[in-house]
Coordinates of all heavy atoms in Angstrom, one line a residue:
M1 N 10.1 11.2 -22.6 CA 10.9 10.4 -21.7 C 11.5 11.3 -20.6 O 12.0 12.3 -20.9 CB 12.0 9.7 -22.5 CG 13.0 8.9 -21.7 SD 14.2 8.0 -22.6 CE 13.3 6.5 -22.9
A2 N 11.4 10.8 -19.4 CA 12.0 11.5 -18.2 C 13.5 11.5 -18.2 O 14.1 10.5 -18.8 CB 11.4 10.9 -16.9
Q3 N 14.0 12.5 -17.6 CA 15.5 12.6 -17.5 C 16.0 11.8 -16.3 O 15.5 12.0 -15.2 CB 15.9 14.0 -17.4 CG 17.4 14.3 -17.4 CD 17.7 15.8 -17.3 OE1 16.8 16.6 -17.1 NE2 19.0 16.1 -17.5
V4 N 17.1 11.0 -16.5 CA 17.7 10.3 -15.4 C 19.1 10.9 -15.2 O 19.9 11.1 -16.1 CB 17.9 8.8 -15.7 CG1 18.6 8.1 -14.6 CG2 16.5 8.2 -15.9
K5 N 19.4 11.2 -13.9 CA 20.7 11.8 -13.5 C 21.4 10.8 -12.6 O 20.7 10.3 -11.6 CB 20.5 13.1 -12.8 CG 19.9 14.2 -13.7 CD 19.7 15.5 -13.0 CE 19.0 16.5 -13.9 NZ 18.8 17.8 -13.2
I6 N 22.6 10.5 -12.8 CA 23.4 9.6 -12.0 C 24.6 10.3 -11.5 O 25.4 10.9 -12.3 CB 23.8 8.3 -12.8 CG1 22.5 7.6 -13.4 CG2 24.6 7.4 -11.9 CD1 22.8 6.5 -14.4
R7 N 24.9 10.1 -10.2 CA 26.1 10.7 -9.6 C 27.0 9.6 -9.0 O 26.4 8.7 -8.3 CB 25.8 11.7 -8.6 CG 25.3 13.0 -9.1 CD 25.2 14.0 -8.1 NE 25.6 15.3 -8.6 CZ 25.7 16.4 -7.9 NH1 25.6 16.4 -6.7 NH2 26.1 17.5 -8.5
L8 N 28.3 9.7 -9.2 CA 29.2 8.8 -8.6 C 30.3 9.6 -7.9 O 30.4 10.8 -8.2 CB 29.9 8.0 -9.7 CG 29.1 7.1 -10.6 CD1 29.9 6.4 -11.7 CD2 28.4 6.0 -9.7
P9 N 31.1 9.0 -7.0 CA 32.2 9.8 -6.4 C 33.2 10.2 -7.5 O 33.3 9.6 -8.5 CB 32.8 8.8 -5.4 CG 31.8 7.7 -5.2 CD 30.9 7.7 -6.5
S10 N 33.9 11.3 -7.2 CA 34.9 11.8 -8.2 C 36.0 10.8 -8.4 O 36.6 10.8 -9.5 CB 35.4 13.2 -7.7 OG 36.0 13.1 -6.4
T11 N 36.4 10.0 -7.4 CA 37.4 9.0 -7.6 C 36.9 7.7 -7.2 O 36.1 7.5 -6.2 CB 38.7 9.3 -6.7 OG1 38.3 9.4 -5.4 CG2 39.3 10.7 -7.2
I12 N 37.2 6.7 -8.0 CA 36.7 5.3 -7.8 C 37.9 4.4 -7.8 O 38.8 4.5 -8.8 CB 35.7 4.9 -8.8 CG1 34.5 5.8 -8.7 CG2 35.3 3.5 -8.7 CD1 33.5 5.6 -9.8
A13 N 38.0 3.5 -6.9 CA 39.1 2.5 -6.9 C 38.6 1.1 -7.1 O 37.5 0.8 -6.6 CB 39.9 2.6 -5.5
K14 N 39.3 0.3 -7.8 CA 39.0 -1.1 -8.0 C 38.7 -1.8 -6.7 O 39.6 -1.7 -5.8 CB 40.1 -1.8 -8.8 CG 39.8 -3.3 -9.1 CD 40.9 -3.9 -9.9 CE 40.6 -5.4 -10.1 NZ 41.7 -6.0 -10.8
G15 N 37.6 -2.5 -6.6 CA 37.3 -3.3 -5.4 C 36.8 -2.5 -4.2 O 36.6 -3.0 -3.1
Q16 N 36.6 -1.2 -4.4 CA 36.1 -0.3 -3.3 C 34.6 0.0 -3.5 O 34.2 0.2 -4.6 CB 36.9 1.0 -3.3 CG 36.6 1.9 -2.2 CD 37.4 3.2 -2.2 OE1 37.8 3.7 -3.2 NE2 37.7 3.7 -1.0
S17 N 33.9 0.0 -2.4 CA 32.4 0.3 -2.5 C 32.2 1.7 -3.1 O 32.8 2.6 -2.6 CB 31.8 0.1 -1.1 OG 30.4 0.4 -1.2
V18 N 31.3 1.7 -4.0 CA 30.9 3.0 -4.6 C 29.5 3.3 -4.3 O 28.6 2.5 -4.5 CB 31.1 2.9 -6.2 CG1 30.6 4.2 -6.8 CG2 32.6 2.7 -6.5
A19 N 29.2 4.5 -3.8 CA 27.8 5.0 -3.6 C 27.3 5.6 -4.9 O 27.9 6.5 -5.4 CB 27.8 6.0 -2.5
V20 N 26.2 5.0 -5.4 CA 25.5 5.5 -6.6 C 24.3 6.3 -6.2 O 23.5 5.8 -5.4 CB 25.1 4.4 -7.5 CG1 24.4 4.9 -8.8 CG2 26.4 3.5 -7.9
R21 N 24.1 7.5 -6.7 CA 22.9 8.3 -6.4 C 22.3 8.5 -7.8 O 22.9 9.1 -8.7 CB 23.3 9.6 -5.7 CG 23.9 9.4 -4.4 CD 24.2 10.6 -3.6 NE 25.2 11.4 -4.3 CZ 25.4 12.7 -4.0 NH1 24.8 13.3 -3.0 NH2 26.3 13.4 -4.7
A22 N 21.0 8.1 -7.9 CA 20.3 8.2 -9.1 C 18.9 8.9 -8.9 O 18.2 8.6 -7.9 CB 20.1 6.9 -9.8
L23 N 18.6 9.8 -9.8 CA 17.3 10.6 -9.7 C 16.7 10.5 -11.1 O 17.3 10.6 -12.1 CB 17.7 12.0 -9.3 CG 16.5 13.0 -9.3 CD1 16.6 14.0 -8.1 CD2 16.4 13.8 -10.6
V24 N 15.3 10.4 -11.1 CA 14.6 10.5 -12.3 C 13.6 11.7 -12.2 O 13.0 11.8 -11.1 CB 13.8 9.2 -12.7 CG1 12.8 8.8 -11.6 CG2 13.2 9.3 -14.1
V25 N 13.6 12.5 -13.2 CA 12.6 13.7 -13.2 C 11.3 13.1 -13.7 O 11.2 12.8 -14.8 CB 13.1 14.8 -14.1 CG1 12.1 15.9 -14.1 CG2 14.5 15.3 -13.6
H26 N 10.4 12.9 -12.7 CA 9.1 12.3 -13.0 C 8.0 12.8 -12.1 O 8.3 13.1 -10.9 CB 9.3 10.8 -12.7 CG 8.2 9.9 -13.3 ND1 7.0 9.8 -12.7 CD2 8.1 9.2 -14.4 CE1 6.2 9.0 -13.4 NE2 6.9 8.6 -14.5
P27 N 6.8 13.0 -12.6 CA 5.7 13.7 -11.8 C 5.2 12.8 -10.7 O 4.6 13.3 -9.7 CB 4.6 13.9 -12.8 CG 4.9 12.9 -13.9 CD 6.3 12.7 -14.0
M28 N 5.3 11.5 -10.8 CA 4.8 10.6 -9.8 C 3.3 10.9 -9.4 O 3.0 11.2 -8.3 CB 5.7 10.6 -8.5 CG 7.1 10.1 -8.7 SD 7.2 8.3 -9.1 CE 6.9 7.6 -7.6
E29 N 2.5 10.9 -10.4 CA 1.1 11.2 -10.2 C 0.4 10.2 -9.3 O 0.7 9.0 -9.4 CB 0.3 11.2 -11.5 CG 0.8 12.3 -12.4 CD 0.1 12.3 -13.8 OE1 0.0 11.2 -14.3 OE2 -0.2 13.3 -14.3
T30 N -0.4 10.6 -8.4 CA -1.0 9.7 -7.4 C -2.5 9.5 -7.7 O -3.1 10.3 -8.4 CB -0.8 10.2 -6.0 OG1 -1.5 11.5 -5.9 CG2 0.6 10.4 -5.6
V31 N -3.0 8.5 -7.1 CA -4.4 8.2 -7.2 C -5.2 9.3 -6.4 O -4.8 9.6 -5.3 CB -4.8 6.8 -6.6 CG1 -6.2 6.6 -6.5 CG2 -4.1 5.7 -7.4
Q32 N -6.3 9.7 -7.1 CA -7.1 10.8 -6.4 C -8.5 10.2 -6.3 O -9.0 9.4 -7.1 CB -7.1 12.0 -7.3 CG -5.7 12.7 -7.4 CD -5.8 13.9 -8.3 OE1 -6.7 14.1 -9.1 NE2 -4.7 14.7 -8.2
R33 N -9.2 10.7 -5.2 CA -10.6 10.3 -5.0 C -11.5 11.5 -5.0 O -11.0 12.6 -4.6 CB -10.7 9.5 -3.7 CG -9.9 8.2 -3.7 CD -10.0 7.4 -2.4 NE -9.2 6.3 -2.4 CZ -9.6 5.1 -2.9 NH1 -10.8 4.9 -3.4 NH2 -8.8 4.1 -2.9
D34 N -12.7 11.3 -5.4 CA -13.7 12.4 -5.3 C -14.2 12.5 -3.9 O -13.9 11.7 -3.0 CB -14.8 12.2 -6.3 CG -15.6 11.0 -6.1 OD1 -15.6 10.4 -5.0 OD2 -16.3 10.6 -7.1
K35 N -15.2 13.4 -3.6 CA -15.7 13.6 -2.3 C -16.5 12.4 -1.8 O -16.7 12.3 -0.6 CB -16.6 14.8 -2.3 CG -17.8 14.8 -3.1 CD -18.6 16.1 -3.0 CE -19.8 16.0 -3.9 NZ -20.6 17.2 -3.9
D36 N -16.9 11.5 -2.7 CA -17.6 10.2 -2.2 C -16.6 9.1 -2.0 O -17.1 8.0 -1.7 CB -18.6 9.8 -3.3 CG -19.7 10.9 -3.4 OD1 -20.1 11.5 -2.4 OD2 -20.2 11.1 -4.6
G37 N -15.3 9.3 -2.2 CA -14.3 8.3 -2.0 C -14.1 7.4 -3.2 O -13.3 6.4 -3.1
K38 N -14.7 7.7 -4.3 CA -14.4 6.9 -5.5 C -13.2 7.4 -6.2 O -12.9 8.6 -6.3 CB -15.6 6.9 -6.5 CG -16.8 6.3 -5.9 CD -18.0 6.4 -6.9 CE -19.2 5.7 -6.2 NZ -20.4 5.8 -7.1
V39 N -12.4 6.4 -6.8 CA -11.2 6.8 -7.5 C -11.5 7.6 -8.8 O -12.4 7.2 -9.5 CB -10.4 5.5 -7.9 CG1 -9.2 5.8 -8.8 CG2 -10.0 4.7 -6.6
V40 N -10.9 8.7 -9.0 CA -11.1 9.5 -10.1 C -10.4 8.9 -11.3 O -9.2 8.5 -11.2 CB -10.5 10.9 -9.9 CG1 -10.6 11.8 -11.1 CG2 -11.1 11.6 -8.7
D41 N -11.2 8.7 -12.4 CA -10.6 8.1 -13.6 C -9.6 9.0 -14.3 O -9.9 10.1 -14.7 CB -11.8 7.8 -14.6 CG -12.5 6.5 -14.3 OD1 -12.0 5.7 -13.5 OD2 -13.7 6.4 -14.7
K42 N -8.4 8.5 -14.4 CA -7.3 9.1 -15.2 C -6.2 8.1 -15.3 O -6.2 7.1 -14.6 CB -6.9 10.4 -14.5 CG -6.3 10.3 -13.1 CD -5.9 11.6 -12.5 CE -4.5 11.8 -12.5 NZ -4.1 13.1 -11.9
V43 N -5.3 8.4 -16.1 CA -4.1 7.5 -16.2 C -3.1 7.9 -15.1 O -2.5 9.0 -15.2 CB -3.5 7.7 -17.6 CG1 -2.2 6.8 -17.7 CG2 -4.5 7.3 -18.7
Y44 N -2.9 7.0 -14.2 CA -2.0 7.3 -13.1 C -0.6 6.9 -13.6 O -0.4 5.9 -14.2 CB -2.3 6.5 -11.8 CG -3.7 6.9 -11.4 CD1 -4.8 6.0 -11.6 CD2 -3.9 8.1 -10.8 CE1 -6.1 6.4 -11.2 CE2 -5.2 8.5 -10.4 CZ -6.3 7.6 -10.6 OH -7.5 8.0 -10.3
N45 N 0.4 7.7 -13.3 CA 1.7 7.6 -13.8 C 2.7 7.8 -12.7 O 3.0 8.9 -12.3 CB 1.9 8.6 -14.9 CG 3.3 8.4 -15.6 OD1 4.0 7.5 -15.3 ND2 3.6 9.4 -16.4
Y46 N 3.2 6.7 -12.2 CA 4.3 6.8 -11.2 C 5.3 5.6 -11.4 O 5.0 4.6 -12.0 CB 3.7 6.7 -9.7 CG 2.9 5.5 -9.4 CD1 3.6 4.4 -8.8 CD2 1.6 5.4 -9.6 CE1 2.8 3.2 -8.5 CE2 0.8 4.3 -9.3 CZ 1.5 3.2 -8.7 OH 0.8 2.1 -8.4
V47 N 6.5 5.9 -10.9 CA 7.6 4.9 -11.1 C 7.3 3.8 -10.1 O 7.1 4.0 -8.9 CB 9.0 5.5 -10.8 CG1 10.1 4.5 -10.8 CG2 9.2 6.6 -11.9
H48 N 7.4 2.5 -10.6 CA 7.2 1.4 -9.7 C 8.4 0.5 -9.5 O 8.5 -0.3 -8.6 CB 5.9 0.5 -10.1 CG 6.0 0.0 -11.5 ND1 6.7 -1.2 -11.7 CD2 5.5 0.4 -12.6 CE1 6.6 -1.4 -13.0 NE2 5.9 -0.5 -13.6
T49 N 9.3 0.6 -10.5 CA 10.5 -0.3 -10.4 C 11.8 0.5 -10.8 O 11.7 1.3 -11.7 CB 10.4 -1.5 -11.4 OG1 9.2 -2.2 -11.1 CG2 11.5 -2.4 -11.3
V50 N 12.8 0.3 -10.0 CA 14.1 0.8 -10.4 C 15.1 -0.3 -10.4 O 15.1 -1.2 -9.5 CB 14.6 1.9 -9.4 CG1 14.6 1.4 -8.0 CG2 15.9 2.5 -9.8
S51 N 16.0 -0.3 -11.4 CA 17.0 -1.4 -11.5 C 18.3 -0.8 -12.0 O 18.3 0.2 -12.7 CB 16.5 -2.5 -12.4 OG 16.2 -2.1 -13.7
A52 N 19.4 -1.5 -11.7 CA 20.7 -1.1 -12.2 C 21.5 -2.3 -12.7 O 21.4 -3.4 -12.1 CB 21.4 -0.3 -11.1
D53 N 22.3 -2.1 -13.7 CA 23.2 -3.1 -14.1 C 24.6 -2.5 -14.4 O 24.7 -1.3 -14.7 CB 22.7 -3.9 -15.3 CG 22.6 -3.1 -16.6 OD1 23.6 -2.8 -17.2 OD2 21.4 -2.7 -17.0
F54 N 25.6 -3.3 -14.3 CA 26.9 -2.9 -14.5 C 27.5 -3.8 -15.6 O 27.6 -5.0 -15.3 CB 27.8 -2.8 -13.3 CG 29.2 -2.3 -13.5 CD1 29.4 -1.0 -13.8 CD2 30.3 -3.1 -13.3 CE1 30.7 -0.5 -14.0 CE2 31.5 -2.7 -13.5 CZ 31.7 -1.4 -13.9
N55 N 27.9 -3.3 -16.7 CA 28.4 -4.1 -17.8 C 27.4 -5.3 -18.1 O 27.8 -6.4 -18.4 CB 29.8 -4.7 -17.5 CG 30.8 -3.6 -17.6 OD1 30.7 -2.6 -18.2 ND2 31.9 -3.8 -16.9
G56 N 26.1 -5.0 -18.1 CA 25.1 -5.9 -18.4 C 24.7 -6.9 -17.3 O 23.8 -7.7 -17.5
K57 N 25.3 -6.8 -16.2 CA 25.0 -7.7 -15.1 C 24.2 -6.9 -14.0 O 24.6 -5.9 -13.6 CB 26.3 -8.2 -14.4 CG 26.0 -9.2 -13.3 CD 27.3 -9.7 -12.7 CE 27.1 -10.5 -11.5 NZ 28.3 -10.9 -10.8
A58 N 23.0 -7.5 -13.6 CA 22.2 -6.8 -12.7 C 22.9 -6.7 -11.3 O 23.5 -7.7 -10.8 CB 20.9 -7.6 -12.5
I59 N 22.8 -5.5 -10.7 CA 23.5 -5.3 -9.5 C 22.5 -4.7 -8.4 O 22.9 -4.7 -7.2 CB 24.7 -4.3 -9.6 CG1 24.3 -3.0 -10.2 CG2 25.8 -5.0 -10.4 CD1 25.4 -1.9 -10.1
F60 N 21.4 -4.2 -8.8 CA 20.4 -3.6 -7.9 C 19.0 -3.6 -8.5 O 18.9 -3.4 -9.7 CB 20.9 -2.2 -7.6 CG 19.9 -1.4 -6.8 CD1 19.8 -1.5 -5.4 CD2 19.0 -0.5 -7.4 CE1 18.9 -0.8 -4.7 CE2 18.1 0.3 -6.7 CZ 18.0 0.1 -5.3
S61 N 18.0 -3.8 -7.6 CA 16.6 -3.6 -8.1 C 15.8 -3.2 -6.9 O 16.1 -3.6 -5.7 CB 16.1 -4.8 -8.8 OG 15.9 -5.9 -7.9
G62 N 14.7 -2.5 -7.1 CA 13.8 -2.1 -6.0 C 12.5 -1.8 -6.5 O 12.3 -1.5 -7.7
Q63 N 11.5 -1.8 -5.6 CA 10.1 -1.4 -6.0 C 9.8 -0.1 -5.3 O 10.2 0.1 -4.1 CB 9.2 -2.5 -5.5 CG 9.5 -3.9 -6.1 CD 9.2 -3.9 -7.6 OE1 8.2 -3.4 -8.0 NE2 10.1 -4.4 -8.3
L64 N 9.0 0.8 -5.9 CA 8.6 2.0 -5.4 C 7.0 2.0 -5.4 O 6.4 1.2 -6.1 CB 9.1 3.2 -6.2 CG 10.6 3.3 -6.4 CD1 10.9 4.5 -7.3 CD2 11.2 3.5 -5.0
T65 N 6.4 2.9 -4.6 CA 5.0 3.0 -4.7 C 4.6 4.4 -5.0 O 5.4 5.3 -5.1 CB 4.4 2.6 -3.3 OG1 4.7 3.6 -2.4 CG2 4.8 1.3 -2.8
Q66 N 3.3 4.6 -5.1 CA 2.8 5.9 -5.5 C 3.0 6.9 -4.3 O 2.8 8.1 -4.5 CB 1.3 5.9 -5.9 CG 0.5 5.4 -4.7 CD -1.0 5.2 -5.2 OE1 -1.2 5.3 -6.4 NE2 -1.9 5.0 -4.3
S67 N 3.4 6.4 -3.2 CA 3.6 7.3 -2.0 C 4.9 8.0 -2.1 O 5.2 9.0 -1.3 CB 3.5 6.6 -0.7 OG 4.5 5.6 -0.6
V68 N 5.8 7.7 -3.0 CA 7.1 8.4 -3.2 C 6.8 9.7 -3.9 O 6.0 9.8 -4.8 CB 8.0 7.5 -4.0 CG1 9.3 8.2 -4.3 CG2 8.3 6.2 -3.3
S69 N 7.5 10.7 -3.4 CA 7.3 12.1 -4.0 C 7.8 12.2 -5.4 O 8.5 11.3 -5.9 CB 8.0 13.1 -3.1 OG 9.4 12.9 -3.2
A70 N 7.5 13.3 -6.1 CA 7.9 13.5 -7.4 C 9.4 13.5 -7.5 O 10.1 13.8 -6.5 CB 7.4 14.9 -7.9
N71 N 10.0 13.2 -8.6 CA 11.4 13.1 -8.9 C 12.1 12.1 -7.9 O 13.0 12.6 -7.1 CB 12.0 14.5 -8.8 CG 11.3 15.5 -9.7 OD1 10.9 15.1 -10.8 ND2 11.2 16.7 -9.3
P72 N 11.7 10.9 -7.9 CA 12.3 9.9 -7.0 C 13.8 9.8 -7.1 O 14.4 9.9 -8.2 CB 11.6 8.6 -7.3 CG 10.9 8.8 -8.5 CD 10.8 10.2 -8.8
F73 N 14.4 9.6 -5.9 CA 15.9 9.5 -5.8 C 16.2 8.3 -5.1 O 15.6 8.0 -4.0 CB 16.3 10.8 -5.0 CG 17.7 10.8 -4.6 CD1 18.7 11.2 -5.5 CD2 18.1 10.5 -3.3 CE1 20.0 11.3 -5.1 CE2 19.4 10.5 -2.9 CZ 20.4 10.9 -3.8
V74 N 17.2 7.5 -5.6 CA 17.6 6.3 -4.9 C 19.1 6.3 -4.7 O 19.8 6.9 -5.5 CB 17.2 5.0 -5.7 CG1 15.7 4.9 -5.7 CG2 17.8 4.9 -7.0
T75 N 19.6 5.6 -3.7 CA 21.0 5.5 -3.4 C 21.3 4.0 -3.2 O 20.5 3.3 -2.5 CB 21.4 6.3 -2.2 OG1 21.1 7.7 -2.4 CG2 22.9 6.1 -1.9
F76 N 22.3 3.5 -3.8 CA 22.8 2.1 -3.5 C 24.3 2.1 -3.7 O 24.9 3.0 -4.2 CB 22.0 1.1 -4.4 CG 22.3 1.3 -5.9 CD1 23.3 0.7 -6.6 CD2 21.5 2.2 -6.6 CE1 23.5 0.9 -7.9 CE2 21.7 2.4 -8.0 CZ 22.7 1.8 -8.6
A77 N 24.8 1.0 -3.3 CA 26.3 0.8 -3.4 C 26.6 -0.5 -4.2 O 25.8 -1.4 -4.2 CB 26.9 0.6 -2.0
F78 N 27.7 -0.4 -4.9 CA 28.2 -1.6 -5.5 C 29.8 -1.5 -5.6 O 30.4 -0.5 -5.3 CB 27.6 -1.8 -6.9 CG 28.3 -1.0 -8.0 CD1 29.1 -1.6 -9.0 CD2 28.2 0.4 -8.1 CE1 29.7 -0.9 -10.0 CE2 28.8 1.1 -9.1 CZ 29.6 0.5 -10.1
V79 N 30.4 -2.7 -5.8 CA 31.8 -2.8 -5.8 C 32.3 -3.1 -7.2 O 32.2 -4.3 -7.6 CB 32.3 -3.8 -4.8 CG1 33.8 -3.9 -4.8 CG2 31.8 -3.5 -3.4
P80 N 32.8 -2.2 -8.0 CA 33.3 -2.5 -9.3 C 34.7 -3.2 -9.3 O 35.5 -2.8 -8.5 CB 33.4 -1.1 -10.0 CG 33.7 -0.1 -8.9 CD 32.9 -0.7 -7.7
Q81 N 34.8 -4.2 -10.1 CA 36.1 -4.9 -10.2 C 36.8 -4.6 -11.5 O 38.0 -5.0 -11.7 CB 35.8 -6.4 -10.1 CG 35.2 -6.9 -8.8 CD 36.1 -6.6 -7.6 OE1 37.4 -6.6 -7.7 NE2 35.5 -6.4 -6.4
A82 N 36.1 -3.8 -12.4 CA 36.7 -3.4 -13.6 C 36.0 -2.2 -14.1 O 34.9 -1.9 -13.7 CB 36.6 -4.6 -14.7
P83 N 36.6 -1.4 -15.0 CA 35.9 -0.3 -15.6 C 34.7 -0.8 -16.4 O 34.7 -1.9 -16.9 CB 36.9 0.4 -16.5 CG 38.2 -0.2 -16.1 CD 38.0 -1.5 -15.5
G84 N 33.7 0.1 -16.6 CA 32.6 -0.3 -17.4 C 31.5 0.7 -17.4 O 31.7 1.8 -17.0
K85 N 30.3 0.2 -17.8 CA 29.2 1.1 -18.0 C 28.1 0.7 -16.9 O 27.7 -0.4 -16.9 CB 28.6 1.0 -19.4 CG 27.5 2.0 -19.7 CD 27.1 1.8 -21.1 CE 26.5 3.1 -21.6 NZ 26.3 3.2 -23.0
L86 N 27.7 1.7 -16.2 CA 26.6 1.6 -15.2 C 25.3 2.2 -15.8 O 25.3 3.3 -16.2 CB 27.0 2.3 -13.9 CG 25.9 2.4 -12.8 CD1 25.6 1.0 -12.2 CD2 26.3 3.3 -11.7
T87 N 24.3 1.4 -15.8 CA 23.0 1.8 -16.3 C 21.9 1.7 -15.2 O 21.8 0.7 -14.6 CB 22.6 1.0 -17.5 OG1 23.6 1.1 -18.5 CG2 21.3 1.4 -18.1
V88 N 21.1 2.8 -15.1 CA 20.0 2.8 -14.1 C 18.7 3.0 -14.9 O 18.7 3.9 -15.7 CB 20.2 3.8 -13.0 CG1 19.0 3.8 -12.1 CG2 21.5 3.6 -12.3
T89 N 17.7 2.1 -14.6 CA 16.4 2.2 -15.3 C 15.3 2.4 -14.3 O 15.2 1.6 -13.4 CB 16.2 1.0 -16.2 OG1 17.3 0.8 -17.1 CG2 14.9 1.0 -17.0
F90 N 14.4 3.3 -14.6 CA 13.2 3.5 -13.8 C 12.1 3.2 -14.8 O 12.0 3.7 -15.9 CB 13.1 5.0 -13.4 CG 14.1 5.4 -12.4 CD1 15.3 5.9 -12.8 CD2 13.8 5.4 -11.0 CE1 16.3 6.4 -11.9 CE2 14.8 5.8 -10.1 CZ 16.0 6.3 -10.5
E91 N 11.1 2.3 -14.3 CA 10.0 2.0 -15.1 C 8.7 2.5 -14.4 O 8.5 2.3 -13.2 CB 9.9 0.4 -15.3 CG 8.7 0.0 -16.2 CD 8.7 -1.4 -16.5 OE1 9.7 -2.2 -16.2 OE2 7.7 -1.9 -17.1
D92 N 7.8 3.1 -15.2 CA 6.6 3.7 -14.6 C 5.4 2.9 -15.0 O 5.5 1.9 -15.8 CB 6.5 5.2 -14.9 CG 6.2 5.5 -16.4 OD1 5.7 4.7 -17.1 OD2 6.6 6.6 -16.8
T93 N 4.2 3.3 -14.5 CA 3.0 2.5 -14.7 C 2.4 2.7 -16.1 O 1.5 1.9 -16.5 CB 1.9 3.0 -13.7 OG1 1.8 4.4 -13.8 CG2 2.3 2.6 -12.3
T94 N 3.0 3.5 -16.9 CA 2.5 3.6 -18.3 C 3.3 2.7 -19.2 O 3.1 2.5 -20.4 CB 2.7 5.0 -18.9 OG1 4.0 5.4 -19.0 CG2 1.9 6.0 -18.1
G95 N 4.3 2.0 -18.6 CA 5.2 1.0 -19.3 C 6.4 1.7 -19.9 O 7.3 1.0 -20.5
E96 N 6.6 3.0 -19.7 CA 7.8 3.6 -20.2 C 9.0 3.3 -19.3 O 8.9 3.2 -18.1 CB 7.6 5.1 -20.3 CG 6.8 5.6 -21.5 CD 7.0 7.1 -21.7 OE1 8.2 7.5 -21.8 OE2 6.0 7.8 -21.8
K97 N 10.2 3.2 -19.9 CA 11.4 3.0 -19.2 C 12.3 4.2 -19.4 O 12.5 4.6 -20.5 CB 12.1 1.7 -19.7 CG 11.4 0.4 -19.3 CD 12.1 -0.8 -19.7 CE 11.4 -2.0 -19.3 NZ 12.1 -3.3 -19.6
H98 N 12.8 4.7 -18.3 CA 13.6 5.9 -18.3 C 15.0 5.5 -17.9 O 15.2 5.0 -16.7 CB 13.0 7.0 -17.4 CG 11.6 7.2 -17.6 ND1 11.0 7.9 -18.6 CD2 10.5 6.7 -16.9 CE1 9.7 7.9 -18.6 NE2 9.4 7.2 -17.5
T99 N 16.0 5.6 -18.8 CA 17.3 5.0 -18.5 C 18.4 6.1 -18.6 O 18.3 7.0 -19.5 CB 17.5 3.9 -19.6 OG1 16.5 3.0 -19.5 CG2 18.9 3.3 -19.4
G100 N 19.3 6.0 -17.7 CA 20.5 6.8 -17.8 C 21.7 5.9 -17.6 O 21.6 4.8 -17.0
S101 N 22.9 6.3 -18.0 CA 24.1 5.5 -17.8 C 25.3 6.4 -17.7 O 25.3 7.6 -18.2 CB 24.3 4.6 -19.0 OG 24.4 5.2 -20.2
V102 N 26.3 5.9 -17.0 CA 27.6 6.6 -16.8 C 28.7 5.6 -17.0 O 28.5 4.4 -16.7 CB 27.7 7.3 -15.4 CG1 26.7 8.4 -15.3 CG2 27.5 6.3 -14.3
D103 N 29.9 6.1 -17.3 CA 31.0 5.2 -17.4 C 31.7 5.2 -16.1 O 31.9 6.3 -15.5 CB 32.0 5.7 -18.5 CG 31.4 5.5 -19.9 OD1 30.7 4.5 -20.1 OD2 31.6 6.4 -20.8
V104 N 32.2 4.0 -15.6 CA 32.9 3.9 -14.4 C 34.4 3.6 -14.8 O 34.6 2.7 -15.5 CB 32.4 2.7 -13.5 CG1 33.2 2.5 -12.3 CG2 30.9 3.0 -13.1
A105 N 35.2 4.5 -14.3 CA 36.7 4.4 -14.7 C 37.5 4.5 -13.4 O 37.1 5.2 -12.5 CB 37.1 5.4 -15.7
F106 N 38.6 3.9 -13.4 CA 39.5 4.0 -12.2 C 40.6 5.1 -12.4 O 41.0 5.3 -13.5 CB 40.2 2.7 -11.9 CG 39.2 1.5 -11.7 CD1 39.4 0.3 -12.3 CD2 38.1 1.7 -10.9 CE1 38.5 -0.7 -12.0 CE2 37.2 0.7 -10.7 CZ 37.4 -0.5 -11.3

């Protein structure tokens, strides 16, 4: 399982926009072709979906492609109205989900 790192500002206020920065340590393997242009058979493994929820409620989702470099990094904002748990999940083409979470406190 890949490692997910999440960063939040050092201080957070109720009702104030918070910038979330999330990174997953992932190889993001890309499709390769041989000299004849045929796809090389192998299991391609790259992150295609990222999503986030706060206290179980979806707050962000996005799609990635194989053109994203290794260790993809996303940034998004949300406005917390109460303390809680922020969870970010990256899903790759092998079906694995890589999840990290942090507590949001005022």
